């Protein structure tokens, strides 16, 4: 949709590094989350229902079988792939378990990258060294950290179970070892507005980051927020509001930061609202139109924005 003209996308990064756009093959390795298993809590984050982004959670397929299935789904669109441990907290297990699962994924000869999604408070020094060992062997490694907001008040309200300080600590340790970090931010969380999104971006950039994933808040069945939405206690962003904020965030981001994603969608009936999030291209088209109208990235401003 022309996004490559305005931002440094992950597709362009892969093409520069590997000569083609790599496809991510998602893996459900049956991890859990400290916010669900009772360590921190049992309810999970208030927006979360993992089935909304990984319908195969609980699959009995081996990691290799999941890679094979994923490869079939994207047949002909790539010859090299990234193994993406996406579901729940993919660094939350014993070291030997993690190593066994990661090893199984990268032994596939077509896998040239490893992407691990997790929480900022579940990345030990041992895990960082394990990920760095793969990178030292020539595997492209990305650590994806679900921060969502840099505002501690918001993190507590959505029941994340960690604070911004946890994020800064993990980013500092990972990047010191040469591991690339991609940070997830959600726009539209309760009691947050446009200025809060810029504040979170500024805090993430100040901490150090290599990539960003931006998501609109959408309400999915089975989440705590679904109850609030049904009781008319949730105000959700319109596609125009979302595109405006994303455009401004892009214009405040250095050009060497890689955008892995600038929007997201979910499928009905899992998706409850907003309706525009049911279609993959709605958000992207609106964002590209904003960038066309207002210009591409401007110079990065280290502003005096403050995070509460």
């Amino acid at each position: 949709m022309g996004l490559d003209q305005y931002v440094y996308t992950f597709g362009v990064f892969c093409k520069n590094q590997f000569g083609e756009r790599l496809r991510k093959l998602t893996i459900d390795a049956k991890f859990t989350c400290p916010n669900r298993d009772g360590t921190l809590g049992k309810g999970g984050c208030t927006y979360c229902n993992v089935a909304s982004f990984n319908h195969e959670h609980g699959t009995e397929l081996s990691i290799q079988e999941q890679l094979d299935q994923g490869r079939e789904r994207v047949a002909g669109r790539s010859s090299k792939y990234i193994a993406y441990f996406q579901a729940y907290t993919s660094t939350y297990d014993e070291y030997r378990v993690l190593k066994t699962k990661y090893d199984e994924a990268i032994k596939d000869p077509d896998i040239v990258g490893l992407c691990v999604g997790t929480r900022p408070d579940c990345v030990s020094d041992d895990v960082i060294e394990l990920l760095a060992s793969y990178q030292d062997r020539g595997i492209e490694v990305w650590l994806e950290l679900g921060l969502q907001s840099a505002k501690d008040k918001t993190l507590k309200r959505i029941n994340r179970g960690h604070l911004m300080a946890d994020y800064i600590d993990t980013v500092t340790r990972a990047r010191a070892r040469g591991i690339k970090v991609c940070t997830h931010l959600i726009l539209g969380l309760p009691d947050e507005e446009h200025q809060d999104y810029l504040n979170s971006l500024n805090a993430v950039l100040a901490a150090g980051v290599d990539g960003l994933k931006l998501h609109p808040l959408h309400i999915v069945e089975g989440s705590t927020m679904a109850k609030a939405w049904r009781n008319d206690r949730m105000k959700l962003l319109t596609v125009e509001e979302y595109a405006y904020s994303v455009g401004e965030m892009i214009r405040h981001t250095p050009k060497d930061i890689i955008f892995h994603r600038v929007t997201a969608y979910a499928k009905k009936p899992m998706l409850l609202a907003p309706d525009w999030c049911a279609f993959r291209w709605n958000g992207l088209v609106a964002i590209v139109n904003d960038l066309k109208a207002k210009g591409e990235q401007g110079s990065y401003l280290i502003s005096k924005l403050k995070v509460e």
Side-chain angles (χ1 to χ4, degrees), residues 12 28 31 65 206 229 269 298:
V12 170
D28 180 350
F31 294 115
E65 289 170 334
W229 175 78

Side-chain angles (χ1 to χ4, degrees), residues 41-235:
K42 291 188 176 180
C45 303
T46 58
Y47 57 81
C48 183
N49 181 334
V50 76
S52 68
F53 62 82
N54 192 321
H55 66 281
E56 295 179 345
H57 190 70
T59 179
E60 295 304 316
L61 296 177
S62 69
I63 288 175
Q64 185 60 59
E65 289 170 334
Q66 291 181 62
L67 291 174
D68 291 339
Q69 278 196 356
R71 191 162 22 216
E72 290 176 7
R73 283 194 291 268
V74 297
R77 287 184 278 175
S78 181
S79 65
K80 303 183 185 75
Y81 306 93
I82 293 176
Y84 184 16
F85 286 85
Q86 180 185 32
Y88 287 116
T89 305
S90 297
T91 58
Y92 184 56
D93 213 322
E94 296 178 11
Y95 177 91
R96 61 176 181 80
V97 175
L98 297 176
K99 186 175 187 305
T100 298
K101 293 181 177 182
Y102 299 161
D103 284 351
E104 184 176 352
I106 66 167
K107 73 180 182 182
D108 185 305
D110 293 336
I111 298 296
V112 297
L114 177 66
C115 182
V116 178
T118 188
R119 297 164 50 92
D121 56 344
C122 290
V123 187
S124 67
D125 288 341
D126 286 345
V127 169
I128 288 176
E129 286 305 313
L130 176 60
L131 295 177
S133 73
Y134 297 124
Q135 188 161 270
D136 293 342
R137 291 159 52 184
I139 298 293
E140 177 70 28
V141 175
W142 281 88
L143 180 65
E144 291 203 10
L145 295 178
L147 174 61
Q148 319 313 355
S149 171
K151 192 175 181 180
D152 283 346
K153 183 178 179 180
T154 296
L155 295 176
K156 292 175 183 177
R157 178 167 182 174
I158 63 176
N159 198 38
R160 279 297 291 173
H162 68 76
L163 299 175
M164 181 61 182
D166 298 304
Y167 169 82
I168 294 173
D169 172 66
T170 294
V171 168
T172 301
R173 289 183 293 114
R175 296 184 84 235
R177 191 60 177 85
I179 297 171
K180 298 184 187 69
V181 173
C182 175
T183 300
H184 294 222
L185 294 173
I186 295 177
L187 282 64
L189 290 169
D191 291 334
E192 289 207 349
E193 298 178 349
H194 176 73
Q195 192 64 50
D196 295 302
Y197 316 148
L198 292 177
N199 288 349
S200 287
L201 174 68
N202 195 70
V204 165
L205 294 173
V209 73
D210 304 282
L212 292 169
K213 274 190 176 181
L214 306 180
H215 307 255
L217 176 67
H218 48 268
I219 308 302
V220 295
E221 192 66 75
S223 66
T224 301
M225 281 187 182
K227 300 175 184 177
W229 175 78
R230 287 191 168 102
N231 290 321
D232 295 322
R233 299 200 308 268
M234 293 289 302
K235 179 183 180 298

